[in-house]
């Protein structure tokens, strides 16, 4: 257990509304990631962070922004949710010494 | 760009059978390779991590091998049980990015 908590675990929202997903870790890992998982596409990287206030885009970053003001929290924001952003979102941390990846339980988002 | 493939997409076996899941990747310049298990509606659970300098790793009934030169990894599950039913994914870490296969959905029939 890498001490990763995602919230909310489930959310239903309407098109055009802002949504923020939170990833919280308890073990001071430097690298954190946000992925989305969709049938037929597997896991795709949205954004990642390599430290406080250091973030970068992944392959599917359009429509998403992130913030990391504290080591333990990595926030994913959908400024104006669209139906194409209906997905399961996973946060992950990378253990620096081994490069091993650990995932949270996921946040299921439905945009109506 | 690294591409990771897992074939077959689905596999069904009777309980007690030994089985092998496959993972292939296109670029041998990897940092490590990791196998995960995912149960429906759940996150990914790390099963085994193989560093690029290693040939295999074992955990209980699971054994993962790595052959970088051929771009292949296998996950061997001994004496399969119904509780092993899940989707198994492999991920390649290039040092800069992680690349995931789309998984093999395993069903172990009692």
């Amino acid at each position: 257990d890498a001490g990763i908590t995602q919230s909310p675990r489930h959310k239903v929202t309407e098109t055009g509304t802002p949504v923020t997903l939170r990833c919280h870790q308890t073990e001071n890992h430097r690298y954190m990631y946000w992925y989305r998982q969709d049938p037929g596409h597997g896991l795709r990287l949205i954004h990642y962070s390599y430290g406080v206030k250091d973030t970068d885009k992944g392959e599917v970053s359009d429509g998403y922004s992130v913030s990391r003001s504290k080591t333990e929290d990595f926030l994913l924001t959908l400024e104006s949710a669209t139906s194409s952003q209906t997905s399961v979102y996973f946060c992950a941390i990378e253990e620096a010494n081994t490069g091993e990846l650990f995932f949270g339980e996921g946040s299921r988002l439905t945009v109506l | 760009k690294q591409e990771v493939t897992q074939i077959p997409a689905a596999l069904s076996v009777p309980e007690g059978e030994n089985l092998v899941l496959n993972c292939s990747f296109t670029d041998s310049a990897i940092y490590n390779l990791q196998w995960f298990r995912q149960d429906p509606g759940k996150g990914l659970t790390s099963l085994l991590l193989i560093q690029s300098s290693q040939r295999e790793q074992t955990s209980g009934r699971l054994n993962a091998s790595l052959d970088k030169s051929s771009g292949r990894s296998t996950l061997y599950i001994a004496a399969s049980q119904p509780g092993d039913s899940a989707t198994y994914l492999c991920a390649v870490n290039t040092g800069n990015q992680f690349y995931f296969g789309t998984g093999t959905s395993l069903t172990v029939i009692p």
Side-chain angles (χ1 to χ4, degrees):
Chain A
D1 183 2
I4 305 169
T5 305
Q6 291 186 230
S7 60
R9 294 289 315 280
H10 301 273
K11 186 170 182 68
V12 179
T13 192
E14 294 187 350
T15 298
T17 59
V19 176
T20 295
L21 306 180
R22 180 185 184 229
C23 178
H24 179 78
Q25 56 136 335
T26 59
E27 299 185 0
N28 229 30
H29 294 288
R30 181 180 170 194
Y31 287 87
M32 299 184 74
Y33 302 83
W34 275 108
Y35 289 91
R36 60 179 290 176
Q37 186 177 40
D38 304 285
H41 291 279
L43 279 154
R44 292 181 291 175
L45 180 65
I46 306 171
H47 280 279
Y48 63 99
S49 171
Y50 37 96
V52 173
K53 296 185 180 179
D54 285 327
T55 65
D56 209 342
K57 296 179 179 179
E59 62 176 302
V60 291
S61 60
D62 287 349
Y64 302 95
S65 62
V66 290
S67 65
R68 193 163 177 203
S69 59
K70 299 185 291 185
T71 300
E72 59 264 37
D73 288 325
F74 191 29
L75 303 181
L76 177 70
T77 297
L78 291 66
E79 300 291 347
S80 178
T82 67
S83 58
S84 65
Q85 294 176 311
T86 292
S87 186
V88 181
Y89 292 86
F90 287 103
C91 173
I93 62 92
E94 181 181 354
E95 207 288 322
N97 291 334
T98 62
E100 189 168 4
L101 208 56
F102 296 94
F103 282 83
E105 285 292 303
S107 295
R108 182 174 295 274
L109 176 67
T110 302
V111 183
L112 302 176
Chain B
K1 178 185 172 184
Q2 179 76 263
E3 291 185 5
V4 181
T5 304
Q6 292 185 251
I7 296 173
L11 180 65
S12 186
V13 301
E15 181 178 2
E17 189 164 297
N18 302 326
L19 62 103
V20 174
L21 304 179
N22 297 298
C23 173
S24 61
F25 48 95
T26 55
D27 189 339
S28 62
I30 68 171
Y31 182 65
N32 63 41
L33 185 144
Q34 197 169 351
W35 282 93
F36 296 89
R37 169 187 173 135
Q38 186 175 29
D39 294 290
K42 301 290 187 180
L44 282 71
T45 300
S46 179
L47 296 174
L48 288 165
L49 174 72
I50 311 177
Q51 300 294 347
S52 62
S53 58
Q54 298 174 321
R55 297 282 293 183
E56 64 179 270
Q57 283 286 339
T58 298
S59 176
R61 294 183 294 108
L62 305 180
N63 175 278
S65 69
L66 175 64
D67 184 344
K68 285 197 307 179
S69 61
S70 67
R72 293 186 61 187
S73 176
T74 62
L75 179 66
Y76 174 83
I77 303 177
S80 59
Q81 303 171 358
D84 295 330
S85 298
T87 297
Y88 292 81
L89 295 95
C90 65
V92 168
N93 181 358
T94 62
N96 294 318
Q97 194 168 341
F98 292 87
Y99 294 88
F100 292 84
T102 50
T104 295
S105 177
L106 173 66
T107 301
V108 181
I109 303 166

